[in-house]
Amino acid sequence: VALKRMLNFNVPPVKNSTGEPVWKILIYDRFGQDIISPLLSVKELRDMGITLHLLLHSDRDAIPDVPAVYFVMPTEENIDRMCQDLRNQLYESYYLNFISAISRSKLEDIANAAIGANAVTQVAKVFDQYLNFITLEDDMFVLCNQNKELVSYRAINRPDITDTEMETIMDTIVDSLFCFFVTLGAIPIIRCSRGTAAEMVAVKLDKKLRENLRDARNSLFTGDTLGAGQFSFQRPLLVLVDRNIDLATPLHHTWTYQALVHDVLDFHLNRVNLEEATGTESSPAGARPKKKNKKSYDLTASDKFWQKHKGSPFPEVAESVQQELESYRAQEDEVKRLKSIMGIEGEDEGAISMLSDNTAKLTSAVSSLPELLEKKRLIDLHTNVATAVLEHIKSRKLDVYFEYEEKIMSKSTLDKSLLDMISDPDAGTPEDKMRLFLIYYISSAQALSEIDLEQYKKALTDAGCNLAPLSYIKQWKAFAKMASAPASYGNTTPKPLGLFSRVMNTGSQFVMEGVKNLVLKQQNLPVTRILDNLMEMKSNPETDDYRYFDPKMLRGSDSSVPRNKNPFQEAIVFVVGGGNYIEYQNLIDYIKSKQGKHVLYGCSELFNAAQFIKQV
């Protein structure tokens, strides 16, 4: 909503205006591009009158009779470039929008350039948009994508970090969270764990919200701000958690569609990139082998299949793709049948009466064609994506890993020794084995003896694993043990439903032979459990000493005693140090069972296990 308003020169778009939109061009930097691209497609931009969208630092030609909307971060180089645009008189008028608040001195630089270029009248509006975060789903956001190594898990947890570096990281995170609440138009009540990076974020955010509320003339939270109507009169709860409370989940192998795509494919800002294997039969003998084609697909909110199945276990997804394909084929056959009937020649009575019947049918068939084509496009897309995921599952035995890890995390009996899993050359990549062992190491209640550890280390080295992450996790575990008991993951294990072949009909294009059909039971991960305690006001040793901040209270009183005794309707969970789709899905499943409650999941960056292991 905020973006559409901005692209409409900062006035809310009128619904029923029949006229053409005002044609304009959009100029953004990489930050702006990352914010807009998961939300608005090129077609939607065009419908709003954006004919051209260009990067700020590209070579742009002058288009003197068109207004330009800028959407950029207020950085030194961006401002220099904008001043240059003014001097070169590139456009008819300039609407300057800053993703994050611009400082007074930089604003003066622009003013001076405008005066120098005699272009003061052409700078139509200057806005702080407070949109410095990336929305990936209706209920999920992430802070930034450019320079994300600045706020990464490693950056926050480096042993040699200086105080000033830590300040900078915290300010970056707080700036984005502040933007998030300005856009929501709500002041949260903040809870966080003590003695963690999350606590530093909470203190700074509380202070920033407080200062803004106090400056009544310029407060961003008064009157008809954007989000005024989005929330009920109840304020949302913001739970700030630190990644370190649970390091097992980001390493966990997963079984739901969206999380699998993120884990094994190249999935980034809602776009997945696949390498297509090209068929061998088409190339003549002696020809050079074909290059692999790269295809990218957008998995967005408008993709109904994705919305419905992104949280489903993988076997269900494969089955649904198959069903969609069959219903599509039936519809297509119907259209073909009508066509052949319409081709009837000769004047006999029967044909004519059939014709009038079928004209109606054909008219409806023709009008449903665009819908059919869209259906076909989605089926092809998900067939390709699911097949790519399936190849990984089969070659790396991911179903076995998933089931085994669930057993470890829920402390059930293991049917196969961990050493066998690690030394089995057919099961998984070295990285899979390392993930499995780290989860075992993190989840085990009593410490491993040195002898056992050496044995595992040798097996891991033989399997080609890089042992660097282990030393970090070892330190972390020693430190965490002093701090608190290990996180528990509930005590349910997935129930195998027998092998797939029974479920899948023989005509399916997914060859699922030998892959386990595991069905998930809902169990709350640590992050979800913490949210549940705080949202429902349950007393629990895990969360009882969480700090409580209310930016609306005049004096900030430091206590963990909530003023508000009622359960919350809306909550935002934010993980400092990075999050993943497994936790997101777990929260969504949890909130489904709660009538009328909403939860949003946010994190400083989104990583899969491979990216996380590198940071550890």
Side-chain angles (χ1 to χ4, degrees):
V1 173
L3 283 173
K4 286 187 171 165
R5 177 173 172 153
M6 173 188 88
L7 294 174
N8 201 33
F9 305 124
N10 288 304
V11 281
V14 185
K15 277 280 170 358
N16 49 9
S17 56
T18 45
E20 290 275 290
V22 181
W23 300 111
K24 49 194 170 283
I25 65 176
L26 169 66
I27 293 163
Y28 45 49
D29 59 359
R30 292 260 178 246
F31 288 94
Q33 187 178 19
D34 287 340
I35 293 170
I36 292 174
S37 68
L39 293 173
L40 296 170
S41 65
V42 176
K43 180 186 175 306
E44 288 171 283
L45 288 175
R46 193 171 304 116
D47 292 343
M48 294 164 60
I50 305 278
T51 48
L52 208 54
H53 40 98
L54 305 163
L55 278 165
L56 178 64
H57 294 282
S58 57
D59 290 329
R60 303 189 311 273
D61 299 327
I63 311 178
D65 47 0
V66 172
V69 176
Y70 286 74
F71 184 50
V72 296
M73 284 296 263
T75 60
E76 204 67 50
E77 52 192 343
N78 283 355
I79 303 242
D80 288 350
R81 185 64 195 255
M82 287 158 94
C83 296
Q84 200 180 317
D85 288 355
L86 288 172
R87 283 190 212 101
N88 298 344
Q89 302 194 337
L90 289 190
Y91 309 113
E92 177 197 48
S93 56
Y94 304 84
Y95 293 80
L96 311 180
N97 296 282
F98 297 103
I99 297 173
S100 182
I102 183 173
S103 66
R104 181 71 201 240
S105 62
K106 288 187 179 145
L107 207 52
E108 284 167 5
D109 294 346
I110 296 181
N112 288 331
I115 293 170
N118 220 346
V120 179
T121 48
Q122 289 162 309
V123 180
K125 287 183 180 169
V126 182
F127 267 86
D128 286 334
Q129 287 294 346
Y130 293 101
L131 289 175
N132 190 12
F133 57 95
I134 299 174
T135 309
L136 294 177
E137 308 270 347
D138 286 346
D139 43 21
M140 178 181 203
F141 68 101
V142 50
L143 290 199
C144 63
N145 175 44
Q146 302 295 322
N147 327 348
K148 63 177 170 212
E149 54 286 343
L150 298 179
V151 293
S152 66
Y153 176 80
R154 170 181 280 172
I156 299 172
N157 292 285
R158 279 203 345 252
D160 55 348
I161 188 163
T162 64
D163 287 354
T164 45
E165 287 174 316
M166 194 65 169
E167 287 286 307
T168 314
I169 294 173
M170 294 299 133
D171 287 339
T172 312
I173 294 179
V174 167
D175 178 65
S176 282
L177 280 172
F178 180 74
C179 289
F180 176 78
F181 286 108
V182 172
T183 305
L184 267 189
I187 301 257
I189 283 172
I190 308 171
R191 303 293 306 264
C192 68
S193 53
R194 293 176 183 269
T196 57
E199 182 177 24
M200 296 159 89
V201 172
V203 173
K204 278 184 176 292
L205 182 61
D206 177 59
K207 180 165 174 271
K208 188 157 182 157
L209 288 167
R210 201 172 277 280
E211 282 167 1
N212 192 278
L213 283 172
R214 204 153 294 148
D215 177 6
R217 214 182 47 194
N218 298 320
S219 174
L220 296 160
F221 293 99
T222 49
D224 52 343
T225 46
L226 253 173
Q230 296 184 358
F231 268 109
S232 56
F233 58 92
Q234 256 210 339
R235 289 165 57 196
L237 165 75
L238 169 66
V239 181
L240 287 164
V241 249
D242 197 279
R243 180 72 271 158
N244 284 324
I245 57 160
D246 168 20
L247 291 186
T249 305
L251 296 167
H252 191 15
H253 286 88
T254 170
W255 201 235
T256 56
Y257 191 27
Q258 184 174 33
L260 267 169
V261 169
H262 187 231
D263 191 8
V264 301
L265 305 176
D266 171 16
F267 179 55
H268 190 63
L269 293 182
N270 293 353
R271 169 170 290 181
V272 62
N273 296 310
L274 289 183
E275 283 196 349
E276 292 212 313
T278 37
T280 43
E281 65 280 0
S282 54
S283 55
R288 283 183 317 203
K290 283 198 174 169
K291 259 202 351 265
K292 278 194 168 176
N293 287 343
K294 267 210 168 345
K295 287 211 80 163
S296 67
Y297 301 106
D298 288 317
L299 299 172
T300 57
S302 57
D303 177 338
K304 293 197 183 66
F305 186 88
W306 176 245
Q307 287 309 320
K308 193 169 159 195
H309 294 291
K310 63 185 184 193
S312 313
F314 189 72
E316 240 173 74
V317 174
E319 218 176 323
S320 306
V321 172
Q322 191 56 35
Q323 285 163 2
E324 291 278 318
L325 188 62
E326 279 156 21
S327 87
Y328 165 75
R329 284 191 180 135
Q331 269 176 294
E332 199 179 36
D333 291 346
E334 174 66 4
V335 174
K336 283 187 184 143
R337 196 180 65 80
L338 286 168
K339 272 192 185 151
S340 68
I341 294 177
M342 296 304 271
I344 295 173
E345 277 156 19
E347 298 296 311
D348 63 21
E349 286 301 295
I352 301 246
S353 67
M354 267 174 79
L355 215 64
S356 55
D357 252 9
N358 283 316
T359 319
K361 278 191 187 165
L362 191 71
T363 323
S364 81
V366 168
S367 60
S368 68
L369 267 176
E371 203 180 309
L372 260 182
L373 289 170
E374 174 60 10
K375 205 168 182 178
K376 176 90 173 76
R377 186 185 72 79
L378 289 182
I379 293 170
D380 290 348
L381 185 159
H382 286 285
T383 307
N384 291 343
V385 174
T387 310
V389 170
L390 184 62
E391 278 166 17
H392 280 277
I393 293 179
K394 285 160 77 168
S395 65
R396 291 160 55 181
K397 297 200 177 160
L398 296 184
D399 48 335
V400 182
Y401 274 92
F402 168 71
E403 192 181 19
Y404 199 84
E405 286 166 13
E406 289 272 309
K407 283 184 179 165
I408 292 175
M409 287 161 80
S410 60
K411 316 260 190 289
S412 330
T413 44
L414 303 173
D415 47 359
K416 185 176 177 187
S417 89
L418 185 63
L419 269 175
D420 291 350
M421 284 282 284
I422 293 172
S423 40
D424 175 0
D426 296 335
T429 60
E431 193 178 81
D432 290 325
K433 296 177 179 183
M434 197 64 202
R435 282 162 65 177
L436 174 68
F437 178 68
L438 288 175
I439 288 176
Y440 173 71
Y441 187 76
I442 291 169
S443 307
S444 60
Q446 55 277 15
L448 296 178
S449 68
E450 281 302 316
I451 307 160
D452 287 354
L453 197 57
E454 283 312 312
Q455 211 180 351
Y456 283 126
K457 274 185 172 169
K458 184 180 179 319
L460 287 165
T461 315
D462 292 347
C465 302
N466 169 12
L467 292 183
L470 181 59
S471 52
Y472 174 81
I473 298 279
K474 218 168 155 180
Q475 287 172 332
W476 168 82
K477 193 164 179 179
F479 178 73
K481 199 163 224 108
M482 304 184 320
S484 67
S488 76
Y489 295 89
N491 50 351
T492 50
T493 44
K495 301 265 185 292
L497 276 191
L499 295 172
F500 261 122
S501 40
R502 277 184 237 155
V503 186
M504 303 296 284
N505 48 14
T506 41
S508 165
Q509 71 235 81
F510 294 102
V511 187
M512 289 289 202
E513 284 302 314
V515 176
K516 293 185 178 182
N517 187 5
L518 303 166
V519 177
L520 299 173
K521 286 185 66 180
Q522 170 64 18
Q523 51 176 14
N524 291 341
L525 293 170
V527 171
T528 309
R529 264 207 329 277
I530 290 170
L531 170 81
D532 180 46
N533 292 338
L534 295 172
M535 200 170 172
E536 302 294 338
M537 292 289 166
K538 295 178 180 169
S539 173
N540 187 308
E542 193 176 16
T543 51
D544 280 347
D545 71 331
Y546 269 47
R547 290 185 61 178
Y548 178 93
F549 295 93
D550 182 349
K552 279 194 173 172
M553 302 291 272
L554 274 175
R555 288 180 304 289
S557 58
D558 174 52
S559 73
S560 27
V561 184
R563 300 270 168 289
N564 169 4
K565 292 283 186 286
N566 305 331
F568 287 90
Q569 294 304 309
E570 272 113 8
I572 296 113
V573 178
F574 185 82
V575 189
V576 179
N580 53 60
Y581 282 109
I582 307 177
E583 266 168 2
Y584 163 66
Q585 197 50 55
N586 194 260
L587 275 173
I588 300 305
D589 293 341
Y590 154 81
I591 212 73
K592 273 183 194 149
S593 60
K594 307 271 178 220
Q595 210 53 49
K597 301 205 167 195
H598 301 286
V599 65
L600 308 174
Y601 178 75
C603 48
S604 50
E605 63 169 333
L606 198 56
F607 44 52
N608 61 17
Q611 294 155 337
F612 182 56
I613 264 201
K614 287 193 189 81
Q615 293 201 29
V616 174

